[in-house]
Structure formats: structure tokens, C-alpha cells
């Protein structure tokens, strides 16, 4: 899989997820086998970049792997300016978000709401492509609603505007996250354009990954929620794609090691207070399959102190391994 001048180490990409794919999580996904990761979306409005939240979301040139930064907005000039600033500060790829269904984003006519306005989409894409020397990619849903599925039109337009890879989440804006992702639209898009296509939506395990690649003919896969608390899914999928065999389940001692390292990195990255709060959701994802009762999660979520959090995890696993 190639995007412009960048050769990915494989065809598995960690999806951008606001509030999840921060720098510590992106590094972990990359270490665990993702060929590329994409940053959480940044608004195209530079006024908000001064906030701590946005500052932490910006990429830094010492990050591992190919640095793809996602921007969202609807004003072509603002989007071009945002792309330029991010490219100058270390982004190697600019990804444009036209897939986000969030009301907050859609009210401002951005994210997937833009799919209803192909002329504006073309203006935004051209403005961004012309503003930067790095490859520009686009992420969309299949359309606004099942009756307005215009992903083929948008894909053709994206190709004409110089977009170098297109990710499609197999749902419409109206579907939000309901029902199951469909791959017929992605397959049709793949047959309609020659830029690399990245299939996304509900890829949860190695067999599904193989099936989606085969069915859609996509060049790559993007994986989001299935990597929450399971960043090693990239390694599992890659192994299956390479050998046709499933890796044995990750030993619990290794889960512990990965999780504790992740929690420590969150403390370092966000500072003890915020890091402790952010670690809670990640820990609950990691423990989903290991802690069937909710008791540990509830007491863990009440902990406010970073070292206490690490000690609680240590004790939890000691107990678990002794059983
Ligand atoms: C918590 C969360 C945050 C998300 N944030 C973004 C985002 O910032 N930009 C974006 O393009 N998509 C975002 N998405 C959508 C994902 O990138 C992906 O398209 C979607 O989750 C479907 O893939 P999956 O089934 O593998 O999770 C988000 C999804 C989730 C669950």
C-alpha cells in the first residue's frame, strides 16, 4: 500500500478516533502492527488550536511511522491554511474528514454533512491539495442517507481533485453507527476509480479482514473500535493475511504488560490528573473480556492518583493469574 511517496509497511491502518487515538495509542497501534495511524481530527479553525486539547492533538515530528493528520471544516480557505500549518509542523499526509456524523461537527457543515454538497467538496479538496506538497487523503461515509448514497460521485471527484487515497466507512451519515457496515458500495467505488481505496467499518477480526479485502478489492483496511483495548489486533490480522493461520490468544501476562505501559504513557503525556482520567476508559476496554464482573472497573474508576492506579492494576493481575 502506497500513499504518494509513502510506502506503508502493510495494508492495515488505525482509524482516527477523537478522544481515543491520541499519541500514546497511535504509537502502541504502530508497535503492534498497524502500517499507519491517523491523528484525531483537528478543527480547521486556528483559534481553537491554542487550547490544551488541540495542542496535544497536533503531531510532533518525533512520532513513529508515517504521520497522517486529520483536519475537519467546511471553509476551503481555512482548510487550506490548516493543512499548510500542519504540513509545516510535521504532518507527512493530510487527511480530510468527511465521515464524522457528530452533531457538533455537522451543525457547522463539516464531516459527513458535506457529502450533500459535491461542489463545495470539490472546492475544499482542490484548495487543500493546492496548498501543500504532501499527499492529501479523504475519509467519507457512503453518503448522507441510504437514499443519497453518492460515494461513487465523491470518489470520482476526489480523484480529479488530486486526492491520493480514499477511505470509505460502509455506512451513511443517517446510519450513524447503527446496523452493519455494508461493503457493496466500497466495492463499487473500488471499481470506479484508480486511487487506493481503504475499506472501513466493523472489521473486528482476522477472518472478517480477509473477507472484506477479498470482497471489496480494497487496497487497505482501516480498523477503529476493534483496536480499543486490543491494539494487537493489527498483528493478529497481519499474521492471518500472511499465513492463513490464527495466532493464539495474547497471553494474559502480555496483556498486563501492554496495558500498564499504555497507562504509564497516558500519565506522562497528559499529566497525572488528566492521564488518570483518560486511562479509565482504555483499562475498561482492555478488561472487557477478562473482567466479567464490573466490580474492579468501578473501584478502579474511583482512583484519582496515578501511582495508585498502577498499583491497582498490578494487584488485579496478580489475583487474576493466581486463580
Ligand atoms: C470514539 C470515536 C471517535 C471517532 N472519531 C473520528 C474522527 O475524529 N475522525 C474520523 O474520520 N472518524 C472518526 N471516527 C470514525 C472511525 O474512524 C471509523 O470510521 C468508525 O469507527 C468505523 O470503523 P470501525 O467499525 O472499525 O470502528 C470515530 C469513531 C469513534 C468510535
Amino acid at each position: 500500500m502506497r500513499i504518494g511517496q509513502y510506502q506503508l509497511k502493510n495494508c492495515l491502518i488505525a482509524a482516527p478516533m477523537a478522544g481515543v487515538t491520541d499519541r500514546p495509542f497511535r504509537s502502541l497501534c504502530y508497535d503492534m502492527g498497524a502500517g499507519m495511524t491517523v491523528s484525531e481530527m483537528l478543527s480547521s479553525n486556528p483559534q481553537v488550536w491554542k487550547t490544551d486539547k488541540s495542542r496535544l492533538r497536533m503531531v510532533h515530528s518525533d512520532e513513529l511511522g508515517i504521520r497522517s493528520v486529520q483536519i475537519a471544516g467546511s471553509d476551503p480557505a481555512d482548510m487550506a491554511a490548516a493543512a499548510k500549518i500542519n504540513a509545516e509542523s510535521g504532518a507527512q499526509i493530510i487527511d480530510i474528514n468527511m465521515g464524522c456524523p457528530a452533531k457538533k461537527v455537522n451543525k457547522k457543515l463539516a464531516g459527513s454533512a458535506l457529502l450533500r454538497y459535491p461542489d463545495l467538496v470539490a472546492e475544499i479538496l482542490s484548495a487543500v491539495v493546492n496548498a501543500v506538497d504532501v499527499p492529501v487523503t479523504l475519509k467519507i461515509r457512503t453518503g448522507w442517507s441510504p437514499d443519497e448514497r453518492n460515494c461513487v460521485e465523491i470518489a470520482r471527484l476526489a480523484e480529479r481533485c488530486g486526492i491520493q487515497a480514499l477511505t470509505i466507512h460502509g455506512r451513511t451519515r443517517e446510519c450513524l453507527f447503527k446496523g452493519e457496515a455494508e461493503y457493496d458500495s466500497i466495492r463499487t467505488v473500488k471499481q470506479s476509480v484508480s486511487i487506493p481505496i481503504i475499506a472501513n467499518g466493523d472489521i473486528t477480526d482476522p477472518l472478517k479482514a480477509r473477507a472484506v479485502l477479498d470482497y471489496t478489492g480494497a487496497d487497505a483496511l482501516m480498523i477503529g473500535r476493534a483496536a480499543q483495548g486490543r491494539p494487537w489486533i493489527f498483528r493478529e490480522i497481519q499474521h492471518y493475511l500472511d499465513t492463513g493461520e490464527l495466532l493464539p490468544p495474547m497471553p494474559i501476562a502480555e496483556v498486563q504488560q501492554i496495558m500498564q505501559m499504555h497507562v504509564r504513557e497516558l500519565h506522562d503525556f497528559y499529566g497525572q490528573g488528566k492521564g488518570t482520567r483518560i486511562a479509565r476508559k482504555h483499562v475498561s476496554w482492555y478488561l472487557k473480556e477478562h473482567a466479567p464482573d464490573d466490580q474492579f472497573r468501578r473501584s478502579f474508576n474511583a482512583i484519582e492518583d496515578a501511582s495508585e492506579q498502577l498499583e491497582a492494576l498490578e494487584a488485579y493481575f496478580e489475583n487474576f493469574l493466581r486463580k
Side-chain angles (χ1 to χ4, degrees), residues 15-18 20 41 70 97 139 169 177 200-202 223-225:
M17 289 184 284
V20 182
M41 91 184 131
Q70 188 182 66
N97 177 346
K139 181 165 180 283
H169 174 188
F177 280 92
N200 170 238
D202 296 354
I223 294 146
R225 289 164 297 168

Side-chain angles (χ1 to χ4, degrees), residues 143-160:
W144 174 257
S145 68
D147 296 332
E148 293 177 76
R149 260 197 200 112
N150 62 345
C151 49
V152 171
E153 177 191 3
I154 299 285
R156 290 200 173 118
L157 178 161
E159 184 168 44
R160 279 201 305 277

